[in-house]
Amino acid sequence: MDSAFRDIPRHYLPRHVHYYYARIKLATDPLYVGVGEVLAGRNEPLLDVGCGIGLLAHTLRAQGYKGSYAGVDIDAGKIESARAAGVRAGLTGLDFDTVDLALDFPRHQGNVALLDIIQFLPPQAQDVLLERAIASVSPGGILVIRTGLQRSGPRLRFTRGIDRLARLTRWMNVGPNRYPRRDDLEARFARHNMQPRFTPLRARLPFENWMICAEHPVAGPAT
């Protein structure tokens, strides 16, 4: 576990399930350091869609992110835990809210994170979520996605199995639906004049996980 993250799990006590989840995730998942590196020097407001128990907020503050943070999730129990852990940690500039994205999407302009959420949505809902997320990225802001990609091979089978396990253990409300295709994502971003970067994010396990970063261009001076 990154030394900057060592004290984070205790803020989830007395919810032992969330405490151990935080310990395991922070010790094994490169996501949090990866997102911190992407957002380094970017202090626009961040919207974390599908924030769960709010671990990203803690890790970003530990890495020096100073922008305001808004986390939304459909799971009211996770949002309650996220709020309580933020208070125990003494973090400021955080806001957590229970939101059903099928019914509403928060108003936002800045940076946006969609981490481990896209693959759990049916195709039409994926399209709507991505378009709303892109519309919420301010000029010069960035959209950060972590998802598996639809490719043949054992990595996707392993990833799908872990995502199904999350459903079986009731950590997720739904199981995996469709993993996006890289060419579909590239075409979508091209329509919005955004150039994505695809980086493998697998740690020591055989995940088919990728971090996808797409920056909204800053408008040039009028001629």
Side-chain angles (χ1 to χ4, degrees):
M1 184 185 300
D2 190 294
S3 60
F5 300 165
R6 191 164 292 128
D7 290 336
I8 293 174
R10 67 181 177 86
H11 299 304
Y12 288 93
L13 292 171
R15 294 199 176 193
H16 289 87
V17 171
H18 291 173
Y19 165 79
Y20 286 111
Y21 173 83
R23 287 196 60 174
I24 292 168
K25 288 288 283 184
L26 295 177
T28 62
D29 195 338
L31 174 68
Y32 304 100
V33 171
V35 175
E37 290 173 350
V38 168
L39 294 180
R42 297 175 178 270
N43 290 316
E44 300 93 347
L46 173 67
L47 174 64
D48 183 8
V49 180
C51 67
I53 62 173
L55 265 180
L56 182 64
H58 292 256
T59 59
L60 288 177
R61 287 291 187 256
Q63 294 173 92
Y65 182 77
K66 295 180 173 60
S68 63
Y69 168 100
V72 298
D73 199 283
I74 194 173
D75 191 322
K78 290 178 183 176
I79 289 296
E80 180 184 351
S81 183
R83 288 172 177 158
V87 170
R88 292 189 195 101
L91 302 182
T92 59
L94 308 184
D95 182 65
F96 294 99
D97 196 13
T98 304
V99 174
D100 183 347
L101 295 172
L103 303 175
D104 193 16
F105 192 90
R107 285 190 175 187
H108 176 79
Q109 282 291 292
N111 303 313
V112 179
L114 302 177
L115 308 177
D116 301 328
I117 182 174
I118 293 177
Q119 65 265 34
F120 292 98
L121 301 175
Q124 184 176 1
Q126 286 185 20
D127 293 339
V128 172
L129 176 64
L130 285 167
E131 288 301 312
R132 288 177 172 175
I134 289 170
S136 299
V137 178
S138 62
I142 193 165
L143 171 61
V144 185
I145 298 171
R146 207 257 296 260
T147 184
L149 293 178
Q150 183 64 52
R151 307 197 312 165
S152 60
R155 288 186 179 275
L156 184 61
R157 290 195 295 271
F158 180 83
T159 303
R160 191 186 302 276
I162 295 298
D163 286 343
R164 285 174 174 166
L165 181 62
R167 169 58 176 155
L168 290 173
T169 60
R170 299 185 179 181
W171 183 256
M172 295 297 294
N173 293 326
V174 295
N177 193 297
R178 182 192 72 171
Y179 295 85
R181 293 171 53 91
R182 178 168 177 161
D183 55 352
D184 289 340
L185 290 172
E186 289 175 331
R188 183 183 302 274
F189 289 128
R191 291 196 295 271
H192 293 277
N193 196 29
M194 300 172 79
Q195 183 65 43
R197 302 191 309 273
F198 289 76
T199 306
L201 201 65
R202 298 163 178 163
R204 299 176 183 178
L205 295 173
F207 284 106
E208 181 55 46
N209 275 347
W210 293 77
M211 178 177 284
I212 305 155
C213 301
E215 189 168 355
H216 198 298
V218 178
T223 57

